[in-house]
Amino acid sequence: MTKELSEEAAAHHHHGKDYEDPPPAPLLDFGELKLWSFYRALIAEFIATLLFLYVTVATVIGHKKLSTADHCDGVGILGIAWAFGGMIFILVYCTAGISGGHINPAVTFGLFLARKVSLIRAVAYIVAQSLGAICGVGLVKAFMRSFYNRLGGGANSVNTGYNNGTALGAEIIGTFVLVYTVFSATDPKRSARDSHVPVLAPLPIGFAVFMVHLATIPITGTGINPARSFGAAVIYNNGKVWDDHWIFWVGPMVGAAAAAAYHQYILRAAAIKALGSFRSSATN
């Protein structure tokens, strides 16, 4: 392994890398607070999460309304999964150049652990996303008031037949899939290596959300986004939903941390490269 890394480093030294990793974000960057681009990014995250929750929760309530009214299946699980995945594709595409298109505290947390964003930006994003989610679900309740509370409010909880451990595991794995896809789709090394294969990053991210929803809706209704779960829980305000709510923060954060570690320290071998650099400096 050391020999391979040495040969790779030598090749890059002679020929130069065909990609460049951005420098790690500082832990605390108070300079961001003076920049309009920082506040513009917060607004983008707020609006994107608001739109995401409005469209997706309205789809869930509409599906349940049709199923209850005439015993048809509405859009079905497939349609709900498409709503979530499609909205992520649209909104990441629209906001990626402004805020990075996180729209999910778990994604923000994973990128923070990988030193892609500062702690100040990560915390501000999570607050903006959570507030946007509350407002988005609030709009659904305002527009569909007669059905909202009666049909579950689009809130996440552990479904009948499953226990908390199963639900937690499903949320961890589902979020791992999503955050791993985010890292892979935005990796500068991949973009350089596969430049002949154009990859629109929001597309695989949206598909990851779609596929995870197909697998996880029967278990938890699919969280994998703490802001989505928090917004629905605040507006619906049901005891069972609040009792299960911790699962929809702990699971996604653990899954995001695992995906960040896997991508950065195994696939990108950051720890081994750092150790090699340390040994090289010590010998010099």
Side-chain angles (χ1 to χ4, degrees):
M1 174 67 76
T2 305
K3 181 178 178 183
E4 291 174 357
L5 289 174
S6 301
E7 290 174 352
E8 182 181 352
H12 286 158
H13 177 74
H14 290 297
H15 303 293
K17 293 199 300 186
D18 55 358
Y19 71 97
E20 184 174 349
D21 284 315
L27 179 62
L28 296 172
D29 186 3
F30 291 103
E32 287 184 310
L33 300 175
K34 301 176 183 178
L35 301 175
W36 162 242
S37 60
F38 175 74
Y39 298 99
R40 181 180 62 187
L42 293 183
I43 294 170
E45 287 292 312
F46 172 83
I47 296 297
T49 314
L50 183 156
L51 295 174
F52 175 60
L53 266 293
Y54 170 71
V55 171
T56 54
V57 173
T59 301
V60 171
I61 299 299
H63 158 67
K64 290 186 174 181
K65 175 181 175 294
L66 290 175
S67 298
T68 303
D70 54 12
H71 306 290
C72 75
D73 195 31
V75 296
I77 288 180
L78 186 63
I80 292 172
W82 270 121
F84 279 89
M87 281 303 292
I88 286 297
F89 168 68
I90 292 166
L91 294 169
V92 171
Y93 180 82
C94 291
T95 59
I98 301 169
S99 65
H102 296 193
I103 321 171
N104 185 335
V107 171
T108 299
F109 181 63
L111 293 173
F112 164 70
L113 293 179
R115 301 288 304 277
K116 306 293 186 183
V117 295
S118 69
L119 177 60
I120 290 175
R121 184 174 289 263
V123 171
Y125 273 24
I126 291 172
V127 171
Q129 292 156 358
S130 298
L131 293 175
I134 293 171
C135 293
V137 182
L139 285 177
V140 176
K141 183 172 182 178
F143 294 165
M144 309 176 79
R145 181 174 297 276
S146 58
F147 305 103
Y148 180 82
N149 286 327
R150 182 157 52 89
L151 298 176
N156 292 122
S157 63
V158 181
N159 289 330
T160 304
Y162 299 94
N163 58 40
N164 287 354
T166 301
L168 182 63
E171 288 295 314
I172 290 172
I173 294 172
T175 311
F176 180 93
V177 172
L178 169 59
V179 178
Y180 173 39
T181 304
V182 170
F183 275 104
S184 298
T186 59
D187 189 340
K189 182 175 183 179
R190 181 190 185 95
S191 300
R193 185 191 63 208
D194 299 335
S195 58
H196 60 290
V197 182
V199 176
L200 184 63
L203 185 59
I205 295 171
F207 261 107
V209 171
F210 167 69
M211 296 303 296
V212 170
H213 273 75
L214 289 180
T216 318
I217 284 176
I219 304 172
T220 63
T222 309
I224 68 170
N225 182 334
R228 175 260 186 274
S229 302
F230 180 67
V234 168
I235 301 299
Y236 186 51
N237 197 25
N238 172 271
K240 171 69 163 62
V241 170
W242 282 119
D243 288 343
D244 295 343
H245 189 63
W246 66 272
I247 292 170
F248 301 99
W249 282 91
V250 175
M253 294 307 186
V254 172
Y262 175 63
H263 184 269
Q264 294 295 103
Y265 294 104
I266 297 179
L267 298 187
R268 294 297 301 273
I272 297 174
K273 290 176 182 176
L275 180 61
S277 175
F278 173 77
R279 287 176 175 173
S280 175
S281 345
T283 52
N284 292 337

